[in-house]
Amino acid sequence: MTWIMELLEGAMRFLQHPLTYYFVLYSLLAGLFRIKNERNSFYTKVEVIYEDLVFTYTKGLFAGLIVSAAVILMGISLPVGMIFLIGAATAVLSFFFRFQWLSAAFIMGLAFAASVLIMTFAQDSLPSFLKGIDQLNIAVFAILIGILLIAEGWAVYRTGHLRTSPSVLKSSRGLPIGSHTANRLWLLPLILFVPGGTLTSVFSWWPVFEMNGQSFSLFIVPFFIGFHQSVRGSLPKESIQVTGKRIIWLGGITLLIACGSIWWTPLAFAAMVLAIGGRVFLIIRQKMNDRSAPFFFSKKDKGLMILGILPKSPAEKIGLKVGETITKVNGSFVKTTSEFYEALQKNRALCKLEVIGLNGEIRYAQRATYEGEHHELGLLFVEQQKKKGSQAV
């Protein structure tokens, strides 16, 4: 019964946490900026404004469950003051609106740095909300960073590539090129134990890490992870999943080193430095690799490459995919959007497309068209109609 009551209290703490509602507005604002950018390229939005909000509050739930299971299994605890500093670090890093700065490595690293500064200059006058930061187990904190980095990489790998936002840029030669951008947030509902409370150990081997006094309270806190990646040199899914795997590897190595700090404390500091430095390195490396690669979404000599597909559009329903190239429409070769539109008008009862798939093989997609139906298929290309007010083809 005591555990049930603690879970209910933990849920109430989650609902009372300011970040739970702060990131509702933050996600909506991200959606607004995304739509503005899409309209600049295509004069139409790709996704509705609340898509970012739904993504933020649903796609990280499973990752939060896994991290919480690891926390419960090991009995990881943090002082209430550190939970406050983690929330404060998240808020501070979010102000710059750089999603990559909301990596678990940066959030936890900033929170730890803040705790060191506070303990150095204000240890004798700590406010009540920073209670217990002097009792932080550094090894446990480093282990938690490793676990969170693995969860970050898993979230990036599994869902970071979904519904990326297309746009059209200009190359250094002034030619139009396509780009896909992922600006993503994930909410991880995170269960943490806080020393002091009504709960006590139920097994002789648990908790693995000793809590002060061996009594504790249960907190459920909203932990937000951010991710940003722009892709011009490959399909967005391929590039983003490679980044996700690298983050998982970084988290795994960080976790191994952090576990070693149980016996030799300096390894905890090494693990934190590795997590922060490694995450910075991965961001820089991805940018350099993408910029050195030839443009993937650019004007082709043969056909029109699909840069984006509007959700619930005819193009989506007949199975067209981003990165495929349309070579023929109703039997006519096409290289420009004007030719594409003209070919569509040749047969008002049927739309038949010849497509080079992602595997390089030719396939066909077709659908019936009906009297009075809008001509648009919901396709976005690098080359769009130039006059304002034009829509997707």
Side-chain angles (χ1 to χ4, degrees), residues 5 76 127 139 184 194 217 230 242 273 284 306 316 329 386:
M5 292 302 298
I76 291 177
R184 288 308 189 188
V194 174
S217 300
S230 293
V242 166
V273 170
I284 295 173
I306 300 172
E316 185 178 70
V329 179
K386 301 303 180 185

Side-chain angles (χ1 to χ4, degrees), residues 92-363:
V92 169
L93 291 173
S94 73
F95 292 158
F96 299 95
F97 222 79
R98 301 286 183 180
F99 285 70
Q100 64 267 39
W101 290 10
L102 289 172
S103 167
F106 303 148
I107 292 172
M108 300 295 279
L110 180 58
F112 181 75
S115 71
V116 171
L117 289 174
I118 291 170
M119 290 303 301
T120 302
F121 298 105
Q123 184 175 4
D124 297 330
S125 56
L126 288 179
S128 59
F129 56 82
L130 292 178
K131 179 176 63 174
I133 61 172
D134 57 331
Q135 300 173 357
L136 175 66
N137 186 324
I138 299 175
V140 170
F141 193 77
I143 288 172
L144 183 57
I145 292 177
I147 294 173
L148 287 171
L149 264 180
I150 293 173
E152 177 181 334
W154 187 89
V156 170
Y157 181 84
R158 292 287 296 176
T159 61
H161 59 86
L162 300 178
R163 303 291 191 184
T164 51
S165 177
S167 60
V168 176
L169 310 173
K170 281 192 175 182
S171 69
S172 57
R173 296 181 179 181
L175 300 174
I177 59 169
S179 174
H180 272 259
T181 301
N183 277 326
R184 288 308 189 188
L185 288 167
W186 292 272
L187 163 64
L188 277 61
L190 191 59
I191 294 177
L192 290 171
F193 295 112
V194 174
T198 58
L199 296 178
T200 56
S201 175
V202 292
F203 302 107
S204 58
W205 54 270
W206 187 90
V208 177
F209 302 106
E210 182 179 356
M211 300 182 192
N212 295 332
Q214 293 297 295
S215 65
F216 44 89
S217 300
L218 188 149
F219 279 53
I220 303 177
V221 298
F223 188 85
F224 288 88
I225 290 175
F227 175 75
H228 167 85
Q229 187 162 313
S230 293
V231 183
R232 298 182 299 181
S234 67
L235 287 170
K237 182 177 180 179
E238 294 176 356
S239 177
I240 290 171
Q241 286 193 331
V242 166
T243 300
K245 288 180 181 178
R246 290 170 176 169
I247 297 172
I248 291 173
W249 275 104
L250 176 62
I253 296 171
T254 300
L255 181 59
L256 286 175
I257 296 174
C259 287
S261 68
I262 297 172
W263 297 277
W264 194 49
T265 302
L267 286 177
F269 298 100
M272 284 188 268
V273 170
L274 173 66
I276 297 170
R279 197 64 190 89
V280 171
F281 172 76
L282 291 182
I283 291 172
I284 295 173
R285 179 179 177 180
Q286 187 277 326
K287 287 184 178 180
M288 292 178 64
N289 289 347
D290 190 65
R291 290 175 181 176
S292 63
F295 300 126
F296 187 83
F297 296 100
S298 58
K299 191 173 180 180
K300 305 297 180 183
D301 293 332
K302 183 180 179 181
L304 282 168
M305 178 174 281
I306 300 172
L307 175 59
I309 299 175
L310 300 184
K312 299 180 181 179
S313 64
E316 185 178 70
K317 292 176 182 177
I318 61 176
L320 295 178
K321 300 182 185 302
V322 170
E324 293 185 322
T325 301
I326 299 173
T327 54
K328 286 184 181 180
V329 179
N330 290 332
S332 300
F333 287 99
V334 294
K335 290 198 302 182
T336 67
T337 53
S338 297
E339 292 174 349
F340 186 94
Y341 176 73
E342 290 171 4
L344 281 178
Q345 308 307 306
K346 287 186 176 181
N347 190 338
R348 295 183 179 274
L350 181 70
C351 170
K352 185 176 181 180
L353 308 177
E354 182 180 285
V355 181
I356 300 177
L358 299 179
N359 57 3
E361 296 181 359
I362 295 176
R363 66 182 182 87

Side-chain angles (χ1 to χ4, degrees), residues 67-83:
V67 174
S68 296
V71 168
I72 293 172
L73 182 64
M74 291 185 285
I76 291 177
S77 69
L78 291 180
V80 67
M82 281 307 301
I83 294 177

